Amino acid sequence: MATTENLDIIKTLAKRLARAQRTKHIDALELIARELGFPHWNALMSDFKKGWRPSSTDLEAAENLLGAVNPLRSKDIGGAALSPFSQVVGLTITSSTSQTNYDPFSADEITGELDGHQFRLMVLLDDVIMEGRGWRILIPEAPTAKPEVHLTDRRLKLNPISDENFLAKAMAAANMRAAQVHARIASDWPRRSTIPDAEGNAQHPLFGGVSSEWFCLHCDGEFSGTQLAKNFWHCPACSATPIDIHESRWWCDQPS
């Protein structure tokens, strides 16, 4: 592979990194440049003009950086996706099983223990579910939707979810998984779908229209492009999915 193509690959990885982080492309380029040992992107390009070329090791480092930010797209799913959970005191991962054979919209199922209690952590249709004996936590895909905590076995006298410290740790782990899901979604969508322009214009991730005002078919609410971009195109009022968000209230023009 030509080394100039390697530089193009790095630029492409930076675009994916910018979408995953919901930040500017130049910020992603700067981050990759520092990962490769340069103080900034201009220094990298200056050395490139003098003869420096990115090696296969540099490409791997850039890919690993993307995997750390967007682990559900990482080649090393076991390492990149699981490493953030080490921040939760008392949590141990025992296994990670791929779910993609039967559900391409789901991520790996994680099993482990939290303060001695077994749990499993799943992603189903981009909702995060964490559950153990007697308890279940649901983190909806829409960031503004409220997490749900359920007691699934009221016969259990000492349910760990009743302990505030345990609940806080479980919520932290579930929210980490939700952040991974959001990074994967953002990297799949056009940049303008998650970062509106100065006038608040945002691009619908599915239909492609661009506008600063949007309407929900489900609840008839009106919202700005900025509101919807922050909420991953779920309705801020009723949590309807992106397929219910439209540029106009076309349904009001339909004959009764």
Side-chain angles (χ1 to χ4, degrees):
M1 179 181 292
T3 52
T4 52
E5 291 181 5
N6 285 1
L7 184 63
D8 290 338
I9 291 174
I10 288 178
K11 291 180 178 179
T12 299
L13 289 172
K15 290 180 180 179
R16 293 172 56 196
L17 181 61
R19 290 200 300 268
Q21 290 187 314
R22 283 167 280 166
T23 188
K24 295 179 180 179
H25 185 211
I26 184 58
D27 292 338
L29 290 171
E30 296 283 349
L31 185 59
I32 288 179
R34 291 194 294 271
E35 182 70 15
L36 300 186
F38 296 90
H40 44 70
W41 181 255
N42 285 342
L44 183 152
M45 289 305 300
S46 177
D47 276 17
F48 182 83
K49 294 176 182 178
K50 296 176 183 178
W52 174 84
R53 295 293 184 265
S55 64
S56 58
T57 301
D58 292 325
L59 289 180
E60 183 178 353
E63 289 177 352
N64 289 340
L65 183 61
L66 177 62
V69 174
N70 185 10
L72 299 189
R73 283 285 185 241
S74 173
K75 293 180 179 179
D76 181 19
I77 185 69
L82 302 183
S83 58
F85 299 104
S86 63
Q87 302 173 32
V88 181
V89 177
L91 188 149
T92 303
I93 300 296
T94 57
S95 69
S96 176
T97 306
S98 176
Q99 305 297 301
T100 54
N101 288 335
Y102 72 89
D103 187 353
F105 295 99
S106 299
D108 287 11
E109 179 178 301
I110 298 171
T111 59
E113 290 188 358
L114 177 59
D115 290 345
H117 300 279
Q118 294 183 346
F119 71 85
R120 66 174 180 167
L121 185 57
M122 303 168 288
V123 180
L124 299 178
L125 298 176
D126 290 336
D127 290 339
V128 172
I129 298 172
M130 185 174 184
E131 62 184 8
R133 184 188 175 195
W135 59 275
R136 186 172 186 262
I137 294 173
L138 170 67
I139 307 293
E141 178 187 347
T144 57
K146 293 182 178 180
E148 301 175 13
V149 179
H150 300 279
L151 296 176
T152 58
D153 188 351
R154 297 186 179 277
R155 297 171 299 177
L156 191 64
K157 293 183 178 180
L158 298 176
N159 196 319
I161 206 68
S162 300
D163 181 272
E164 292 184 1
N165 185 53
F166 180 90
L167 175 59
K169 292 181 180 180
M171 288 293 295
N175 280 317
M176 286 178 184
R177 198 58 164 165
Q180 294 177 344
V181 171
H182 291 157
R184 191 263 299 159
I185 294 172
S187 66
D188 284 340
W189 284 354
R191 172 180 167 77
R192 293 187 68 182
S193 295
T194 56
I195 305 178
D197 63 18
E199 286 72 41
N201 293 298
Q203 179 180 345
H204 196 291
L206 305 181
F207 306 143
V210 177
S211 178
S212 62
E213 296 180 348
W214 295 86
F215 304 90
C216 177
L217 173 62
H218 189 264
C219 70
D220 202 38
E222 178 179 351
F223 307 97
S224 69
T226 300
Q227 286 177 292
L228 288 165
K230 288 182 178 180
N231 206 38
F232 283 89
W233 290 84
H234 287 71
C235 177
C238 69
S239 295
T241 63
I243 62 173
D244 288 317
I245 306 301
H246 299 268
E247 286 185 77
S248 66
R249 286 191 174 99
W250 55 264
W251 51 91
C252 294
D253 299 328
Q254 301 297 312
S256 58

